[in-house]
Amino acid sequence: MTLTEKYLKAVAAQLPAAGREDVIAELRDALMSRMEDREAELGRPLTEAEEEAVLREMGHPLAVAARFGAGPHHVVGPELYPWWLFGVKTALTVLAVITVIGAVVRILVGDVEASQAFGQAIHGLLWSGMMIVGVATVAGFIIERMKDKPAFLTEWRARDLGLFEMGVFSSAWMAKATDMVGGERADGIKDPAPGRMSPTAGAVASGVAWGVFVLWWTGAIGREIRPGVIGGELMVDGVDWGLLVNETVAWIWWPLLAFGGARAAFHLMRAAMGAPVRFTAFGDVAFSIASLGFIGWFWLYSPMAPVIAVDTAQGFVDRVRLLWTTGEMVVPAVIMMVTAVAFIAEVFTLLGAAGRFVTGRDGRRHAG
């Protein structure tokens, strides 16, 4: 068997059966023509090395087969790549925030030393980051080979581009944060709805964030969060906070998993529907009620309730005063205040969502 025949067999092995013979016949003719031209230049038959040089000029069999083969010749093409990159950077940003928070919590509850916590966090961040990139690449591979392109590539709307105004890891995040607190943006751009994304873009961002949270909570990315795994002895003012955290996680692990999964699915669903006002408001009402129920349980019945709860407003004030004047009861006072603020914020969220559901109008939408 000549080198040319071996070359053609290698190309043929990479081609689909349909049309393979026609492609090989066309390629053989092209190769024979090149070799005849080279023989005419030299005035003699080609040596084996010269024949191989002609084959090398034609290209590697894998590359030649790809030129003749059907379908995309890339994993993620140039049209989809910006979406792939934006999604990866957004997910990595959320992952980084969750990982840092998790490391800080582990240090506070005495689970591990600071150096060990952050070392494990970095290791988990790298491993989970590779997983996110892998999943995004597989999704891109599938989308590239779909017969009909997804609607987000072809039917996007200008009013839903608020999310993309902020390049991930860019100074625009700081500009947006400045808008939220009523400051003046450094870039001088006026936003008709300061600090707010469009409804659909916000839904996508929330869906991704809650999805990453669910993966983190289940241990699919990062360190596993389960009873008996998290928590360690941490005695403060005679209270073992590590034990309380572990017991609390034992109570909330499955409910919080269901809550996070439901929120991720809800946000992605409303993004696909164009974020209709009443549907969004209905979901916000339901999730606010669930959140208020959780906060109430945490305050009254959780393993931490006997330590953090107070019976009266005066008791609340007295504990805050004790914290500021003596520095005592730091952990119970901080958790107490955070819980109270979360309760108040959730009440306002519930009232706002109920108002939007009744009126069918969303005052948070961009002007126009």
Side-chain angles (χ1 to χ4, degrees), residues 19-55:
R20 178 186 299 165
E21 294 183 0
D22 294 337
V23 170
I24 294 302
E26 179 182 346
L27 184 58
R28 179 181 283 107
D29 291 342
L31 283 172
M32 291 299 102
S33 178
R34 289 193 182 193
M35 291 185 183
E36 290 172 359
D37 291 343
R38 187 64 55 85
E39 288 177 346
E41 292 176 5
L42 298 174
R44 58 174 174 79
L46 299 180
T47 65
E48 188 174 88
E50 291 166 339
E51 181 182 1
E52 187 171 22
V54 174
L55 297 175

Side-chain angles (χ1 to χ4, degrees), residues 241 298-299 304 308 330-340:
W241 288 97
F298 183 77
W299 184 267
M304 292 189 180
I308 66 171
V330 175
V331 177
V334 170
I335 297 177
M336 179 192 69
M337 289 187 290
V338 169
T339 304

